[in-house]
Amino acid sequence: MNNKVIQELMCIVKSVELNKKYYKGYEFSEKVVKRCEDFCKLHNINITHGSAYRELKHKSYYYKDKYVINLLDKGTDLYELRKTGAITDKEIVAKLLKEGD
């Protein structure tokens, strides 16, 4: 996946998480489900974690972990996630504190 695709994936997950309070449990509106499924189909992502959203969320955790490790080791903006706002400093610090425990 290239930077733009990873940025889009992160933004989709963040958008769903920010609007999650409007939905009951994991019963998202059809529009959200369709958007996640279309993204998975377009980028040949196999759905192995139950739903397209869960698969994208799982992938976002992977890319966040990889991003934070790269940030600590090399100090570079891998995937240009900070530049585009797909990840915030608050999320990076939370990830670092969580791993420090």
Side-chain angles (χ1 to χ4, degrees), residues 19-90:
N19 293 302
K20 193 185 269 185
K21 62 185 174 189
Y22 299 110
Y23 306 111
K24 298 174 186 170
Y26 281 103
E27 293 181 22
F28 299 115
S29 70
E30 287 186 36
K31 188 175 185 180
V32 171
V33 172
K34 182 155 176 46
R35 176 67 178 109
C36 292
E37 288 175 350
D38 289 347
F39 185 85
C40 287
K41 286 178 187 173
L42 181 65
H43 300 291
N44 297 324
I45 298 172
N46 293 329
I47 299 172
T48 58
H49 291 92
S51 71
Y53 167 69
R54 286 184 182 169
E55 187 65 35
L56 295 181
K57 189 171 182 177
H58 178 77
K59 288 209 176 286
S60 76
Y61 286 144
Y62 168 77
Y63 287 114
K64 262 187 204 174
D65 288 346
K66 194 171 177 181
Y67 179 87
V68 170
I69 290 168
N70 183 68
L71 186 64
L72 291 174
D73 289 345
K74 298 179 184 170
T76 59
D77 188 9
L78 186 66
Y79 313 123
E80 299 176 355
L81 295 178
R82 286 182 70 209
K83 179 180 172 184
T84 59
I87 191 170
T88 63
D89 292 340
K90 185 177 178 179

Side-chain angles (χ1 to χ4, degrees), residues 95-101:
K95 185 75 178 151
L96 290 173
L97 292 176
K98 193 177 207 180
E99 288 181 1
D101 291 338

